[in-house]
Amino acid sequence: MVHATSFCAEVWKPAWDVARAAGLASQRALAVDQRGHGRSSAPAEPSAYAWTRLAGDVVSVLEAEFASEGPALLIGHSSGGTAVLAAAAMRPEMAAAV
C-alpha cells in the first residue's frame, strides 16, 4: 500500500484494521513511506522524486518482500496510485492487480 503526497504509511492502518476485523484481510500487508515522507529519508535533488524513481521504489519493495510469495495486490492513493501503476507497468509479473 502506497500513500499520497503529504501522507505516510500509517494512513493505511485504520482501513487495514477494519478489513482484518471483517475477515477480509487474510493476507500479509505492507504499507510503505514514500521518499521524503514518514520515516523515509528525503533526498535533496528534485530528480529523486521522478515517477520512474518512485515506481522503482515500489518494485524494490516487491522484490525484497514478496518475490517468494508471487504477485502482489498493489494499492495506492493519488501519487501512490501513480507509483503502483508505473511499478506494475515496469514489472507486470509482480502485480496480481492494482
Side-chain angles (χ1 to χ4, degrees):
M1 296 180 274
V2 184
H3 61 80
T5 302
S6 298
F7 288 65
C8 67
E10 288 295 314
V11 74
W12 295 106
K13 187 176 181 335
W16 189 250
D17 289 345
V18 168
R20 194 174 4 195
L24 302 172
S26 60
Q27 304 286 328
R28 179 169 78 98
L30 180 66
V32 297
D33 285 321
Q34 291 200 74
R35 297 170 178 236
H37 295 78
R39 293 185 214 126
S40 71
S41 60
E45 67 278 0
S47 63
Y49 297 93
W51 289 115
T52 53
R53 303 285 296 273
L54 299 175
D57 291 344
V58 174
V59 169
S60 293
V61 169
L62 291 171
E63 290 172 342
E65 297 291 331
F66 295 96
S68 65
E69 297 177 34
L73 168 62
L74 308 181
I75 300 170
H77 170 233
S78 192
S79 65
T82 302
V84 300
L85 283 169
M90 290 172 136
R91 297 289 302 276
E93 75 281 4
M94 298 188 87
V98 176

